[in-house]
Amino acid sequence: MSEIKLYDAPEFTAKFMPSEELNAILKADRSKFFVVRVEEMYRHVHRPVPPSRSTIYSCLYLTEGAASMKIGSELYTIHSQELLIVPAGQVFSFQENDVNKGYLCGFHGDFLVGKWLKNNLLKEFDFLQIWGNPLIKPDEQSAQFIESLYGRLLIDYSQNGLQNTGILQAYLFALLCEVNRVYQSVLPPDPIAAVTLTNRFRELVFSFFRTKQRVSEYAALLNITSNHLNKTVRTVSGKSPTKWIDEAILLEAKVLLSQTGLSINEVATQVGLDDPSYFARLFKKLEGQTPTEFRRMIEKS
């Protein structure tokens, strides 16, 4: 199995936005936590960021302009008083031409473990999970609270780095709780059991898509029938289980094509497809171009 690069914050900024000015804003321990104004970071991005993964959770909030980012298999665009969340380990990519202002906060999962915070805290926030909805649109009052919390985090981080870890943890936890309150209010009105089943299926796909690519295999893991899984997932998510599996394969292939020198046939094998021709057809069907064309596009950028 070929190892896909999983960037920590210092590696990511060094590769895609190298800048002494940015290094002065972001502290040395940015792999644990950082918060920065978007405009101070984004102006150092001079080329597209190809499909990548990070060890940190990223929370982007805009106060002006717009930002577009591909998270998982979907392209999202946010505007003023809206958020985008990228869970650790999720595939993401973005271009270099957005004009905006706001805040970007990044943190490792371990950062929220402390004197008053428990180890499995992140599991309580659906929007931090791979299967969560990354686009959040707060109401006016919630947006003001969220912006104030970002501002408070930025002041302490800019002045003290991580010296006041307890304060940063408290404000970050408050920020996540405020986002979660808004997020919970826009969940689909499906029965809790159906949503839970769909989320569990998506979590399993993320873990097993290389070796399990039939709906029946996931139905067996969940102890339900394939028909029940198909109906539930389609109703809750708007996509069939097969589409979720295919998109997981595509995302992994895109990262491999971007980060490794593996041949197309080798990439197909890495994502669990023994037939390179089928892999090429599936890739073109979902992405609109062949694996070779996609790799050339990345190499030119």
Side-chain angles (χ1 to χ4, degrees):
M1 181 67 66
S2 178
E3 288 294 324
I4 291 176
K5 180 66 177 175
L6 187 66
Y7 292 101
D8 64 18
E11 292 172 324
F12 185 82
T13 53
K15 183 173 181 63
F16 296 110
M17 50 194 81
S19 164
E20 292 301 322
E21 180 183 350
L22 187 58
N23 285 336
I25 296 173
L26 297 173
K27 313 305 178 184
D29 43 14
R30 73 191 72 165
S31 59
K32 298 178 182 178
F33 173 87
F34 70 85
V35 59
V36 65
R37 293 190 185 278
V38 174
E39 58 269 30
E40 292 180 346
M41 172 178 274
Y42 195 73
R43 61 193 180 89
H44 298 291
V45 179
H46 300 299
R47 61 189 179 98
V49 173
S52 305
R53 287 192 177 100
S54 175
T55 59
I56 64 170
Y57 296 82
S58 298
C59 304
L60 171 65
Y61 175 80
L62 291 190
T63 57
E64 294 182 24
S68 295
M69 181 179 294
K70 198 160 191 179
I71 303 173
S73 58
E74 303 292 336
L75 178 64
Y76 298 92
T77 299
I78 61 170
H79 302 87
S80 177
Q81 296 189 325
E82 295 178 352
L83 297 107
L84 270 181
I85 311 294
V86 183
Q90 176 63 290
V91 178
F92 68 94
S93 60
F94 57 89
Q95 300 297 313
E96 77 278 22
N97 297 318
D98 288 342
V99 178
N100 49 48
K101 292 183 178 180
Y103 300 93
L104 176 66
C105 176
F107 62 93
H108 193 279
D110 293 342
F111 185 73
L112 276 177
V113 178
K115 184 176 180 180
W116 299 282
L117 303 176
K118 53 190 178 181
N119 290 337
N120 60 351
L121 180 65
L122 296 183
K123 293 182 179 179
E124 298 184 11
F125 300 112
D126 283 359
F127 60 87
L128 293 180
Q129 311 309 313
I130 294 292
W131 39 261
N133 180 4
L135 192 156
I136 300 172
K137 299 182 178 183
D139 56 77
E140 181 71 27
Q141 185 179 56
S142 296
Q144 291 177 5
F145 293 154
I146 289 169
E147 187 171 336
S148 295
L149 288 165
Y150 268 108
R152 183 64 185 87
L153 282 166
L154 181 63
I155 289 172
D156 201 275
Y157 179 75
S158 299
Q159 294 177 352
N160 306 303
L162 299 192
Q163 292 181 31
N164 298 329
T165 300
I167 292 176
L168 293 174
Q169 287 176 329
Y171 278 109
L172 177 58
F173 181 57
L175 173 63
L176 295 177
C177 288
E178 194 64 48
V179 173
N180 194 51
R181 185 172 64 85
V182 180
Y183 181 82
Q184 293 293 335
S185 70
V186 296
L187 284 175
D190 301 283
I192 293 175
V195 174
T196 301
L197 176 62
T198 299
N199 290 342
R200 178 60 180 147
F201 163 73
R202 294 173 65 180
E203 192 174 24
L204 288 172
V205 169
F206 184 76
S207 300
F208 297 115
F209 69 87
R210 298 176 190 83
T211 56
K212 300 182 186 299
Q213 298 174 352
R214 295 194 298 272
V215 175
S216 59
E217 293 177 297
Y218 291 96
L221 288 175
L222 294 164
N223 296 312
I224 59 175
T225 66
S226 297
N227 285 340
H228 181 48
L229 182 59
N230 269 303
K231 182 178 179 180
T232 302
V233 172
R234 190 183 292 274
T235 299
V236 172
S237 72
K239 293 192 286 192
S240 69
T242 299
K243 186 68 180 295
W244 282 111
I245 297 168
D246 287 346
E247 288 182 349
I249 293 171
L250 174 70
L251 284 173
E252 192 75 2
K254 289 169 69 174
V255 176
L256 287 167
L257 289 166
S258 302
Q259 294 187 7
T260 75
L262 294 174
S263 68
I264 305 301
N265 289 2
E266 289 171 331
V267 170
T269 300
Q270 290 288 322
V271 298
L273 299 178
D274 295 328
D275 184 349
S277 297
Y278 173 74
F279 167 67
R281 292 196 302 272
L282 177 66
F283 194 100
K284 185 168 185 178
K285 175 184 175 183
L286 297 176
E287 189 65 15
Q289 57 186 335
T290 67
T292 300
E293 290 169 339
F294 175 81
R295 174 170 272 170
R296 287 172 181 165
M297 178 190 71
I298 294 297
E299 291 172 346
K300 289 178 180 179
S301 63

